[in-house]
């Protein structure tokens, strides 16, 4: 039976959640034991696949068969993650130029397949709780996720049999959970410190529309690093007091890790806490009091590391901290009082923290689902396209159809033509980037428009349409309008882009701007020269009897001069010679037009000719 239920899903690096709208209130759906968070961990045990808490326990016993942090691998190539392999105990298949795969014993799985298992578990949880089938969802992703990473998230939905109606940026979802879409206008900073990642996003809201102005962060900084600091202290003290080094014992280290995390969390609400850890064999019984002050001194520098990304994001958005109207906290680690204090100092205002920071993104996804279901109609949600999108045109130049920072969804259309007579196939090369030449841009896809009826160069009218949907997924279609030949491609890049690469591409476009523009002008002048050379040669063969020997010699010499300049890099020389050839052929061109008109008169086809000239 069809139903209009759409759930909101936060598919997180460490934990995932599912939420729904209970009337007008978003609520997280707990599992049977009442737990809201589902650890984003999947274990491929011989007895069967397990997901969540049960899989998390397997991390200790079957680390090579247990996959966690799979979000870091979504839509990414081996090249992208090579530098991070030390963070993954499971095996990643080294395949160049392709999306990464994970090896689990004999089998290989893709990151979307692993995420699909997590989505499936959340779906099961929701169905059980709500007593109805769940088929549609809104899923959140980090604002900096590129096309490939968003597409991988959609694929995960497809594999799980869930229709993902919309992919929403996590900071946007957090704002929705706080109802900030109701503000007439404002600037919002979303500070998200989770277990292993830190993201800062600056958003602008105006008349219910959100726009991500800037993002920054650190993909390896979070609450887990706080645990690590306390673990190091405990392990050192055990060594000093008992002469026992637990480092080589994974089970004991895990006990220390859990003890450290629990003590850290208690210290968010208590000034002092008691730690008591015992280990099998009763050799070591470790206990001591730990104060919040002491904990803070252990992590102070880590908290401080979040400040610079905030300042950079503010600068990128062209704002001062004082211009930010609201600060929203997301992620479990923002419960730490020291973090809240630092955020307050940085932005000069008390951050919003009334909602559970672990749940706020899922709650916002449920609000978005509610909007999509037509329950709230007054609002539109928009984001921006982070890098320009376009196609390759003659001579290897990038022709932009959708510029960077265009609000999405967005459609753009442009007409192109062929450069060779009788061309029946056109190669379309879809590009992403800020540089003028194709070789400096990122190739997203190639496809062919085939079956164009043979026509002279310049006659076919090829309409290229770029459609970027609200999820940032790009569909490119090409159509030859005279024959209605069509082809299209949905862009799913072979491998992803890192945040740093996006930044590098933008920086380089500024750095090389002058050289790039010159290179582009040179290509364009060469294209023009080729066209003029072809046209002149044709005019000479058609119109030789019409002109004098001197005129003919002048045209030949200007033509030869242009041909030599065509193959140099001298733009000024090329332009100068183009101009002199155009000058030399002016008279001949006029004579040819007159002749054509006379012929048409003779054949009583004047209307047609006048129309064409
Ligand atoms: P998330 O990835 O958003 O689920 O955040 C998980 C991180 O938040 C982990 O490092 C947790 O230890 C941390 N965390 C959860 N509760 C607290 C708390 N009360 N105080 C400090 N950190 C916490």
């Amino acid at each position: 039976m069809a139903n209009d239920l759409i759930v909101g899903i936060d598919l997180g690096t460490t934990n995932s959640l599912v939420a729904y709208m209970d009337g007008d209130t978003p609520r997280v759906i707990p599992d049977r034991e009442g737990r809201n968070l589902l650890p984003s961990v999947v274990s491929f045990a011989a007895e069967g696949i397990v997901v969540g808490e049960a899989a998390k326990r397997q991390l200790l016993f079957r680390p090579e068969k247990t996959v966690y942090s799979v979000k870091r691998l979504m839509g990414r190539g081996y090249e992208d993650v090579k530098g991070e392999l030390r963070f993954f105990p499971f095996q990643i298949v080294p395949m160049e130029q392709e999306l990464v795969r994970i090896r689990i014993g004999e089998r290989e799985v893709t990151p979307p397949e692993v995420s699909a298992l997590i989505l499936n578990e959340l779906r099961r949880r929701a169905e059980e709780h709500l007593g109805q089938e769940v088929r549609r969802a809104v899923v959140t992703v980090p604002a900096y996720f590129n096309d490939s990473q968003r597409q991988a998230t959609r694929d995960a939905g497809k594999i799980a049999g869930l229709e993902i109606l919309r992919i929403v940026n996590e900071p946007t979802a957090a704002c929705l959970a706080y109802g900030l879409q109701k503000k007439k206008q404002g600037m919002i900073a979303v500070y998200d410190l989770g277990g292993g990642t830190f993201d800062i996003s600056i958003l602008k809201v105006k008349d219910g529309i959100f726009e991500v102005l800037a993002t920054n962060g650190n993909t390896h900084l979070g609450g887990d690093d706080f645990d690590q600091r306390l673990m190091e202290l405990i392990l050192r003290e055990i060594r000093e007091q008992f002469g026992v080094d637990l480092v080589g014992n994974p089970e004991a280290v895990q006990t220390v890790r859990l003890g450290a995390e629990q003590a850290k969390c208690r210290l968010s609400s208590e000034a002092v806490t008691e730690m008591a850890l015992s280990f099998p064999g009763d050799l070591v019984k470790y206990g001591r009091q730990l104060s919040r002050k002491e904990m803070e001194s252990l992590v102070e520098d880590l908290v401080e590391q979040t400040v610079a990304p905030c300042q950079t994001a503010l600068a990128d958005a062209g704002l001062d901290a004082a211009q930010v109207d609201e600060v929203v906290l997301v992620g479990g680690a923002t419960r730490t009082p020291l973090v809240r204090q630092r955020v307050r100092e940085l932005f000069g205002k008390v951050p919003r923290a009334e909602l559970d920071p672990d749940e706020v993104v899922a709650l916002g996804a449920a609000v978005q689902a509610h909007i999509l279901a037509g329950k709230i109609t007054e609002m539109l949600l928009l984001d921006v396209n982070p890098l320009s999108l376009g196609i390759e045109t003659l001579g290897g130049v990038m022709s932009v159809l959708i510029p960077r920072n265009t609000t999405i969804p967005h459609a753009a259309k442009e007409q192109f033509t062929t450069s060779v007579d009788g061309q029946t196939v056109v190669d379309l090369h879809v590009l992403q980037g800020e540089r003028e030449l194709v070789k400096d841009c990122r190739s997203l896809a190639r496809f062919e428009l085939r079956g164009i009826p043979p026509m002279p160069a310049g006659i076919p009218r090829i309409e290229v349409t770029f459609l970027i949907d609200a999820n940032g997924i790009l569909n490119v279609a090409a159509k030859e309008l005279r024959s209605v030949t069509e082809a299209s491609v949905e862009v799913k890049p072979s491998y992803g882009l890192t945040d740093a690469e996006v930044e590098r591409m933008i920086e380089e476009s500024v750095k090389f701007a002058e050289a790039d523009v010159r290179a582009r002008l040179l290509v364009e002048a060469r294209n023009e020269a080729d066209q003029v050379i072809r046209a002149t040669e044709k005019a000479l063969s058609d119109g030789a009897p019409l002109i004098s020997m001197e005129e003919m010699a002048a045209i030949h010499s200007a033509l030869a001069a242009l041909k030599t300049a065509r193959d140099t890099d001298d733009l000024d020389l090329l332009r100068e010679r183009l101009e002199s050839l155009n000058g030399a052929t002016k008279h001949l061109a006029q004579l040819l037009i007159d002749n054509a008109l006379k012929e048409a008169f003779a054949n009583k086809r004047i209307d047609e000719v006048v129309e064409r000239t």
Side-chain angles (χ1 to χ4, degrees), residues 424 449-453 478-487:
T424 57
L449 178 64
R450 298 186 149 271
I452 303 170
K479 204 193 255 178
E480 201 289 304
L481 298 175
R482 295 181 193 277
S483 57
V484 205
T485 319
E486 280 187 66

Side-chain angles (χ1 to χ4, degrees), residues 75-80 96-100 146 148-149 432 442-444 492-497 501:
R76 311 193 65 200
Y78 185 70
E79 281 299 312
D80 301 320
E96 306 286 324
Q97 300 297 319
E98 289 209 26
L99 292 173
V100 295
N146 64 21
S148 173
Q149 291 165 300
Q432 181 180 41
R442 182 165 177 264
S443 170
L444 289 185
K492 186 174 171 183
S494 56
Y495 60 97
L497 263 184
E501 270 174 297

Side-chain angles (χ1 to χ4, degrees), residues 295-315:
M295 183 69 210
E296 288 179 347
S297 69
L298 290 177
V299 302
E300 212 173 355
D301 63 305
L302 295 173
V303 176
E304 206 52 37
Q305 281 180 39
T306 65
V307 173
C310 292
Q311 286 163 339
T312 311
L314 280 170

Side-chain angles (χ1 to χ4, degrees), residues 10 12-15 17 37 192-197 222-227 261-262 264-269 330-337 357-359:
D10 170 6
T13 310
T14 327
N15 293 302
L17 300 92
L37 302 184
D192 179 350
L193 189 63
T197 54
D224 299 348
D225 299 298
F226 296 8
D227 303 344
E261 188 187 359
Q262 286 160 2
K264 171 193 79 171
C265 292
R266 288 196 301 276
L267 285 174
S268 290
S269 48
V330 179
T334 60
R335 291 201 187 88
T336 315
D358 277 321
E359 298 179 357

Side-chain angles (χ1 to χ4, degrees), residues 343-362:
V343 173
R344 194 172 58 230
E345 285 165 5
L346 185 60
F347 291 97
K349 54 189 61 69
V350 179
R352 301 290 295 263
E354 308 93 276
L355 296 172
D356 185 323
D358 277 321
E359 298 179 357
V360 58
V361 168

